[in-house]
Amino acid sequence: MKLSQFKFNLPEEQVALYPHSSERVLKRADGSEQKFTVVRRDEGRLMVVHRKSGKIDMFKGDITDKPKEEDYIRFRDVLDYFGEGDTFIFNDTKVFPARLYGTKEKTDAKIEVFLLRELNAEMRLWDVLVEPARKIRIGNKLFFDESGTMVAEVIDNTTSRGRTLRFLYDCDHEEFKRELFALGEAPLPRYIIDNRPKEEGEEFAHATADDLENFQSVFAKNEGAVSAPGTNIHFSEHMMKMMEIKGLKSAFVTLHCGLGSFHDIEVEDLTKHKMDSEEMHINAEACEIVNKTKLGGHKLCAVGASVVKACESSVGTDGLLKEYDGWTNKFIFPPYNFGLADSMLVNFYHPYSVLLMETAAFGGYDLIMEAYDLAVKNGYMFGSFGDSMLILND
């Protein structure tokens, strides 16, 4: 397929810059009121797409008048579409505070450093992105705290914005990482952080203290991601408990989400696009749960594009999940024959996004683009903090 086939008009106001939340009013004994906002992971909208029949559901019942917000299917309602013995496959990667702000030596120019991955623990070497890149050259020293104890030296250029840093911090590795991460912020995507308001006098917008918790799933376990597996963050602790009560099973795979899903595609012919590699791990326990579910004729729901990618990178020719420790750069776009999951839960994403392409491959191009058109017209929110879509095989 061609890149241009994934173009659609997305209004700026429909890109979610903050997680789903609800207004609450606290009434005091003296009659006064206090309004406050509470984050509700599972209260976003859910669109349900039936890929065989072509039916698209947005509302809980028949709507004759203009729909109200309470008429829409909510994310927490996803459990109603599954029964005892069915399995959800989650990504348990854990996001670390990868975005740091500091200054360049001598000039005190403000810079942003985005940690990608640790290259060598003993030498404190990290692969990073820098902004503004034109100011950061080999040999420069960068300072990240007022005391001057957390310092890094640029030792290599890797790409136009990529650099290799050596942190000059003399202590054991665990202490170093604690101190480094204490200076970092939640690695919100550029489309979020660049469109949030900046504090007066600041060159960059900053993530809030709550963002690292909100941009993280409640079951996050294995540290290594610089972007959240978006759909996974909508599951609340209450939903996870309700799954247990209902007899639904959970299987956990690990794919450390990188920035590849946010890179612009620069070729019209999608077969020529190359994805960044991402580290992934699938253990025996996950394989046992998933394969038992499939062989038993129950539903398998892949939660998020990262889970679909991980599963399709490790499924065997027999249609069963295999153990895996390594990397994947799989790029899924239509047409594609999926080998494992029969349903998919995913967010709504931007035009030209590789995540949209994977969704279209799973649900069918024409049906998914019709669903996206409905989502735009009905005010659904897009992006990691946005609304979601459930694709069922019926």
Side-chain angles (χ1 to χ4, degrees), residues 209-244:
D210 293 331
D211 280 322
L212 193 58
E213 178 182 354
N214 296 331
F215 197 56
Q216 190 90 269
S217 67
V218 296
F219 43 76
K221 179 181 178 182
N222 297 309
E223 185 180 270
V226 295
S227 179
T231 316
N232 288 258
I233 67 178
H234 299 320
F235 277 83
S236 62
E237 292 179 355
H238 175 73
M239 282 187 69
M240 300 301 289
K241 190 63 180 179
M242 290 304 297
M243 286 179 62
E244 290 183 33

Side-chain angles (χ1 to χ4, degrees), residues 237-281:
E237 292 179 355
H238 175 73
M239 282 187 69
M240 300 301 289
K241 190 63 180 179
M242 290 304 297
M243 286 179 62
E244 290 183 33
I245 294 171
K246 194 171 182 178
L248 299 171
K249 298 177 182 177
S250 300
F252 296 93
V253 301
T254 304
L255 186 143
H256 295 314
C257 303
L259 298 182
S261 296
F262 301 104
H263 292 337
D264 291 336
I265 297 179
E266 298 177 347
V267 291
E268 176 69 3
D269 182 355
L270 296 182
T271 62
K272 293 180 168 55
H273 177 64
K274 303 300 181 185
M275 289 287 291
D276 292 350
S277 293
E278 295 170 308
E279 186 179 359
M280 59 171 280
H281 306 277

Side-chain angles (χ1 to χ4, degrees), residues 146-297:
E146 294 181 358
S147 66
T149 55
M150 185 63 71
V151 184
E153 180 181 10
V154 181
I155 65 170
D156 195 14
N157 293 338
T158 53
T159 63
S160 60
R161 292 179 58 223
R163 303 288 187 272
T164 300
L165 298 187
R166 179 174 62 220
F167 283 90
L168 311 175
Y169 198 89
D170 187 20
C171 64
D172 66 71
H173 183 252
E174 288 305 313
E175 181 185 343
F176 162 70
K177 286 190 72 173
R178 280 198 307 271
E179 294 296 324
L180 180 65
F181 287 176
L183 296 170
E185 296 182 1
L188 299 176
R190 288 244 72 98
Y191 70 83
I192 292 180
I193 200 69
D194 288 346
N195 288 289
R196 284 189 178 181
K198 300 180 181 67
E199 294 291 334
E200 186 175 352
E202 289 282 354
E203 293 187 25
F204 305 102
H206 289 270
T208 67
D210 293 331
D211 280 322
L212 193 58
E213 178 182 354
N214 296 331
F215 197 56
Q216 190 90 269
S217 67
V218 296
F219 43 76
K221 179 181 178 182
N222 297 309
E223 185 180 270
V226 295
S227 179
T231 316
N232 288 258
I233 67 178
H234 299 320
F235 277 83
S236 62
E237 292 179 355
H238 175 73
M239 282 187 69
M240 300 301 289
K241 190 63 180 179
M242 290 304 297
M243 286 179 62
E244 290 183 33
I245 294 171
K246 194 171 182 178
L248 299 171
K249 298 177 182 177
S250 300
F252 296 93
V253 301
T254 304
L255 186 143
H256 295 314
C257 303
L259 298 182
S261 296
F262 301 104
H263 292 337
D264 291 336
I265 297 179
E266 298 177 347
V267 291
E268 176 69 3
D269 182 355
L270 296 182
T271 62
K272 293 180 168 55
H273 177 64
K274 303 300 181 185
M275 289 287 291
D276 292 350
S277 293
E278 295 170 308
E279 186 179 359
M280 59 171 280
H281 306 277
I282 298 178
N283 60 28
E285 181 182 2
C287 292
E288 181 180 0
I289 295 170
V290 168
N291 294 335
K292 185 176 180 180
T293 300
K294 186 163 187 176
L295 293 172

Side-chain angles (χ1 to χ4, degrees), residues 323-342:
E323 293 181 59
Y324 192 100
D325 281 290
W327 298 74
T328 180
N329 64 350
K330 181 174 282 293
F331 175 33
I332 299 175
F333 59 93
Y336 183 90
N337 293 319
F338 289 84
L340 190 73
D342 50 48

Side-chain angles (χ1 to χ4, degrees), residues 32 140 349 390:
S32 62
N140 288 158
Y349 289 103
L390 171 63

